[in-house]
Amino acid sequence: HFVFFADAYVALRRGDYAAAAGKFDAMAAYYPVEGMLGFDPYALGYFAWASARSGDKLGLEAFVRKLNPAQIGFDHHLALAFFSGQKGDHDAALAHLKRAFDARPFTERRPIPTEYQWAEACEWLYEATKERRYIELALPWAKVHQRIQPMMSWAYAFEAKHGTEEQDRIRALGIALHLDP
């Protein structure tokens, strides 16, 4: 499943959302990406983003909305945040992001830590919609995460890119570049 995920994630990061959705769909043919039988649904949010950005030709949103959110939690809400935000329903997307944050699972079996995945989701929604509330939601988390895991460069890079205070941004940029040149 990690090979399927990596292949789809590369297409997603390149901005080829239709190809990424197809690759996540191929993964779903072999693995329950919605999280059944003990399988971690870590790919569901990424699948939803690729699908939402490419017109949801597979009908993934309807599928996700039928899932039991109590069983899936973080990934279910992340997926719904992507679909809602892409449609311009920012209040619903923000509510789903808040629920996703509160339901973050441990990241031991996931290829991407949830603390990063959540902030990344906020950033993607901001970049796609220019709705500043996504960044305002994630920025305090990035700052807190700098104290939780001070060796992780993403939190500093996030503040350097999206912060509002010049001195804080410069400091964060220096640390990010030191940790990840």
Side-chain angles (χ1 to χ4, degrees), residues 49 53 65 77 80-99 121-137:
W49 183 242
R53 297 288 288 171
R65 291 198 181 277
H77 289 297
L80 292 177
F82 282 144
F83 284 118
S84 297
Q86 187 63 33
K87 290 179 176 178
D89 188 352
H90 303 300
D91 291 335
L94 287 160
H96 282 296
L97 286 169
K98 290 173 186 174
R99 287 188 207 112
C122 293
E123 184 175 53
W124 286 354
L125 282 163
Y126 166 70
E127 289 174 351
T129 67
K130 302 305 179 215
E131 174 60 54
R132 181 78 186 164
R133 290 183 292 167
Y134 295 119
I135 294 302
E136 291 168 357
L137 181 64

Side-chain angles (χ1 to χ4, degrees), residues 146 150-161 168-181:
Q146 293 169 7
M151 70 298 230
M152 301 299 258
S153 64
W154 75 262
Y156 300 101
F158 193 94
E159 182 181 12
K161 184 176 180 181
D168 293 342
R169 292 180 67 209
I170 292 168
R171 177 191 153 277
L173 178 60
I175 295 170
L177 290 173
H178 174 74
L179 292 172
D180 189 4

Side-chain angles (χ1 to χ4, degrees), residues 5 9 42 46 107 109-117 120:
F5 176 79
Y9 187 74
Y42 68 88
Y46 292 110
T107 62
R109 297 181 310 207
R110 291 171 168 252
I112 299 173
T114 58
E115 53 270 20
Y116 173 80
Q117 186 179 6
E120 179 183 55

Side-chain angles (χ1 to χ4, degrees), residues 28-96:
Y30 295 97
Y31 299 98
V33 295
E34 71 276 13
M36 296 177 64
L37 307 170
F39 188 80
D40 193 322
Y42 68 88
L44 185 61
Y46 292 110
F47 190 179
W49 183 242
S51 187
R53 297 288 288 171
S54 62
D56 194 25
K57 293 173 181 69
L58 300 170
L60 184 64
E61 181 179 7
F63 175 77
V64 170
R65 291 198 181 277
K66 291 179 187 173
L67 297 173
N68 181 350
Q71 288 179 316
I72 300 163
F74 174 77
D75 301 286
H76 180 263
H77 289 297
L78 208 61
L80 292 177
F82 282 144
F83 284 118
S84 297
Q86 187 63 33
K87 290 179 176 178
D89 188 352
H90 303 300
D91 291 335
L94 287 160
H96 282 296

